[in-house]
Amino acid sequence: MTPTFDGVPWWLVAAIAGIGGAAMALVVRWNRLLAREIAERKASEARSRILLRAIEHSPLSVVITDAQGTIEYVNPAFCAVTGYSAAEAIGQNPRVLKSEQHPPEFYRDLWQTLLRQEIWCGELVNKKKNGALYWEHASIGPILDDTGTITHFVAVKEDITEEKRQAEALVASERRFRALMESAADPVVIVDQNGRIVLVNR
């Protein structure tokens, strides 16, 4: 192990010893700044690893595109929901998921919102690789550089297909119940636990 003086190798100290104390102080200071920069870079890399780990294990789909909308990253949840592997998705446009269930103005409004550098939130019907349709709630926002220019877009999406199915089943059940009530030959009155009338047939 090479001996050092305050982190500076002894041979470098010896080489500049004749230059004077000011030069030596400058070298020591530079060495400290370099050490601090390395430590900060390592801390930044550690934070990046933690964030990446969180995204990789998130139950929500995460999609990152460049400013033109070309997919650069998808997490495992995206692959599980859509059926596309990361290799198949990267390089594609999110239009690969388009289901044709929304009118053109829906997508126009989405893009205008993003280009105003605002976050778009809403529900989408998209299409999996196998052609099956699914619902998701999406929050999509732009990423800006130091000059305020959009460099990327990030979408965080939750598969809400099952919730939609349950809601539709409840509505259908209520319709069937109402139809049954209305087709009854006798008057039907439904009251709550306090004896208040909540529903009657014709």
Side-chain angles (χ1 to χ4, degrees):
M1 185 174 191
T2 305
T4 63
F5 176 77
D6 199 10
V8 180
W10 67 268
W11 54 267
L12 183 55
V13 174
I16 64 173
I19 298 175
M24 182 63 191
L26 184 63
V27 170
V28 170
R29 181 169 172 72
W30 176 82
N31 191 59
R32 286 179 180 159
L33 289 173
L34 182 61
R36 186 180 307 134
E37 182 182 329
I38 291 170
E40 288 173 356
R41 190 177 331 124
K42 285 182 178 177
S44 176
E45 289 170 356
R47 285 193 296 273
S48 296
R49 279 195 303 273
I50 291 169
L51 288 172
L52 180 59
R53 184 93 178 201
I55 292 169
E56 292 281 316
H57 290 279
S58 172
L60 304 178
S61 296
V62 177
V63 181
I64 301 174
T65 74
D66 64 15
Q68 287 70 47
T70 303
I71 296 173
E72 293 186 351
Y73 170 84
V74 294
N75 71 340
F78 170 92
C79 299
V81 169
T82 66
Y84 287 98
S85 69
E88 290 170 323
I90 292 171
Q92 297 274 4
N93 187 286
R95 282 191 299 270
V96 71
L97 304 174
K98 197 171 179 181
S99 66
E100 306 297 340
Q101 299 293 305
H102 301 286
E105 51 269 24
F106 175 89
Y107 296 102
R108 193 160 46 246
D109 173 68
L110 187 158
W111 276 106
Q112 286 173 353
T113 300
L114 295 176
L115 294 176
R116 288 196 304 268
Q117 301 184 358
E118 298 173 5
I119 294 174
W120 183 90
C121 290
E123 295 180 353
L124 295 144
V125 182
N126 276 335
K127 185 172 63 175
K128 300 184 181 190
K129 181 181 176 181
N130 66 7
L133 300 182
Y134 69 102
W135 279 90
E136 57 186 1
H137 182 273
S139 177
I140 309 171
I143 302 296
L144 312 179
D145 65 13
D146 293 339
T147 67
T149 302
I150 295 173
T151 62
H152 293 83
F153 296 101
V154 177
V156 179
K157 306 187 288 182
E158 180 182 11
D159 185 349
I160 57 170
T161 307
E162 189 54 37
E163 290 89 333
K164 284 286 186 182
R165 281 194 189 122
Q166 290 175 4
E168 288 169 3
L170 181 59
V171 169
S173 176
E174 288 173 351
R175 283 199 194 112
R176 285 194 300 271
F177 177 69
R178 174 56 91 169
L180 183 63
M181 275 189 61
E182 294 301 339
S183 65
D186 297 318
V188 177
V189 179
I190 298 177
V191 297
D192 66 14
Q193 59 188 9
N194 298 313
R196 290 182 297 231
I197 296 173
V198 294
L199 197 60
V200 299
N201 67 349
R202 290 195 185 120

